[in-house]
Amino acid sequence: DTGVSQNPRHKITKRGQNVTFRCDPISEHNRLYWYRQTLGQGPEFLTYFQNEAQLEKSRLLSDRFSAERPKGSFSTLEIQRTEQGDSAMYLCASSLIGSEKLFFGSGTQLSVL
Amino acid sequence: QKEVEQNSGPLSVPEGAIASLNCTYSDRVSQSFFWYRQYSGKSPELIMSIYSNGDKEDGRFTAQLNKASQYVSLLIRDSQPSDSATYLCAVIDPRGGGADGLTFGKGTHLIIQP
């Protein structure tokens, strides 16, 4: 499978716990994006990497959210001290530099109890 | 703040008819426009992109762009039940160099009635 891969597909956690999601982009893609999507809404941009550099992070929802892409390949999104309002689908997308076409992974559905 | 507006629907269309989906955007600088299809519980899938005023056709899909009116639409001809999904309109701001990613509308839920 050469598409964008996200793990886990589903995550159920208790309020206050930390969670981490992983995204493996399409192998030749050097741009990687994280989005959040809640029910009835379109995806909401969170952050963006070009290779290993995080070029935009001001749209992360709070300081409880952080993302890394240490070697310019896979990326992780961490949410600390989860709240019920964090329940959503977290989507990862990748693209080539110079291309505006984003390819999305299947997402991680987070439920905070 | 860039905004992309779509009627959330549901839009119900009989099988075989033309489905017309509409989108307006607030930022005149926007240059690139995309339509994504999203099935329930699945991720968005790119189906059309359009950059110039006028029509762009790809199979049963036609995207239409009018930058003066800040309006973009998607027509689906010969609608099939498998076209039932949420259609997301998205724009990108070229000034951000890709850093802003895509700005999405809320999506229009399309139902094709057999």
Side-chain angles (χ1 to χ4, degrees), chain A:
Chain A
D1 186 351
T2 57
V4 178
S5 177
Q6 290 189 247
N7 288 288
R9 290 295 308 277
H10 303 274
K11 178 69 177 179
I12 300 173
T13 191
K14 293 182 179 179
R15 187 163 50 103
Q17 298 294 305
N18 299 342
V19 294
T20 300
F21 311 138
R22 175 175 171 132
C23 172
D24 288 89
I26 294 171
S27 58
E28 62 268 28
H29 284 186
N30 26 39
R31 287 184 168 173
L32 186 148
Y33 302 81
W34 285 99
Y35 284 80
R36 182 181 80 156
Q37 187 175 24
T38 53
L39 199 62
Q41 302 294 317
E44 176 187 13
F45 173 74
L46 296 179
T47 190
Y48 150 77
F49 292 86
Q50 184 163 300
N51 298 312
E52 67 275 10
Q54 190 174 11
L55 298 185
E56 175 57 59
K57 56 182 179 181
S58 66
R59 306 259 283 276
L60 285 167
L61 299 166
S62 78
D63 59 6
R64 297 184 297 105
F65 287 71
S66 63
E68 293 183 343
R69 194 183 184 197
K71 297 183 179 179
S73 56
F74 73 93
S75 174
T76 57
L77 178 69
E78 181 181 17
I79 308 173
Q80 296 183 328
R81 305 181 303 280
T82 53
E83 302 173 356
Q84 287 184 327
D86 297 333
S87 296
M89 173 75 82
Y90 290 85
L91 293 164
C92 175
S94 69
S95 73
L96 289 166
I97 292 176
S99 173
E100 295 172 332
K101 296 183 180 179
L102 271 59
F103 295 85
F104 283 85
S106 298
T108 295
Q109 181 66 52
L110 173 66
S111 297
V112 182
L113 305 179

Side-chain angles (χ1 to χ4, degrees), chain B residues 8-92:
Chain B
S8 60
L11 173 65
S12 185
V13 174
E15 184 176 358
I18 296 175
S20 178
L21 305 161
N22 304 315
C23 171
T24 59
Y25 59 95
S26 63
D27 191 347
R28 285 193 168 274
V29 179
S30 298
Q31 294 292 322
S32 306
F33 306 88
F34 305 87
W35 283 100
Y36 281 78
R37 178 176 62 198
Q38 187 172 29
Y39 293 113
S40 181
K42 303 295 185 182
S43 61
E45 172 193 12
L46 178 66
I47 55 171
M48 289 286 288
S49 59
I50 187 166
Y51 306 97
S52 303
N53 279 329
D55 295 359
K56 179 182 177 182
E57 186 174 319
D58 183 0
R60 296 187 296 112
F61 298 97
T62 299
Q64 299 175 319
L65 175 60
N66 184 326
K67 290 185 180 180
S69 299
Q70 296 178 237
Y71 177 91
V72 58
S73 64
L74 179 71
L75 302 178
I76 307 175
R77 289 182 300 281
D78 188 24
S79 298
Q80 303 296 312
S82 60
D83 295 325
S84 298
T86 296
Y87 289 81
L88 298 161
C89 174
V91 305
I92 197 164

